[in-house]
Amino acid sequence: MSSDETPPYWLLISVLFSSQPLTPSLAMTLHQTAYELHERGDAVKAVAGDMLSGKVRNLRKEVALGGIAGPAFEAEIETERGSGVVRFVLTRQGLEMMRQAPPAPPRPKYLN
């Protein structure tokens, strides 16, 4: 999926709680990290980006809230606005979209 074809973050994650305002960039970073955790079955992964550091934890639970359901995650983050906690769900719709996306093209080994 190219950046032009990337779906909006609200289709990919559903935020249950956030002590920090979420920007689209922060939401997508949390989504990508949680998706990697989910696919690998890992428990915790560090997250970093522009003005962001912290960790995302796979809660290993399925959560349902109305018509939204999926695996639950918690992130402890440090941003330019201070520290915070975000609890969110990877939506089933978002998981399916990620799985159907073509794999990223291989990166060249050498750049001259």
Side-chain angles (χ1 to χ4, degrees), residues 3-109:
S3 61
D4 294 339
E5 298 171 356
T6 302
Y9 71 89
W10 60 84
L11 290 178
L12 302 173
I13 70 172
S14 180
V15 177
L16 303 174
F17 168 82
S18 181
S19 61
Q20 289 278 332
L22 283 182
T23 63
S25 174
L26 175 55
M28 290 303 289
T29 300
L30 293 177
H31 168 264
Q32 185 61 43
T33 304
Y35 181 73
E36 290 172 12
L37 281 171
H38 176 71
E39 289 299 297
R40 294 182 180 147
D42 293 341
V44 178
K45 182 173 179 167
V47 63
D50 295 338
M51 309 297 283
L52 167 70
S53 65
K55 60 185 173 183
V56 176
R57 182 174 296 109
N58 185 344
L59 298 179
R60 300 185 193 271
K61 295 186 212 178
E62 292 287 318
V63 175
L65 181 65
I68 299 170
F73 295 85
E74 180 176 82
E76 295 173 7
I77 57 172
E78 289 286 334
T79 70
E80 71 277 3
R81 295 182 179 162
S83 62
V85 174
V86 182
R87 291 185 190 99
F88 61 99
V89 173
L90 292 182
T91 67
R92 289 285 166 214
Q93 180 182 11
L95 287 170
E96 288 302 316
M97 291 173 92
M98 292 298 290
R99 289 181 182 134
Q100 292 173 2
R107 297 179 69 172
K109 291 183 180 180

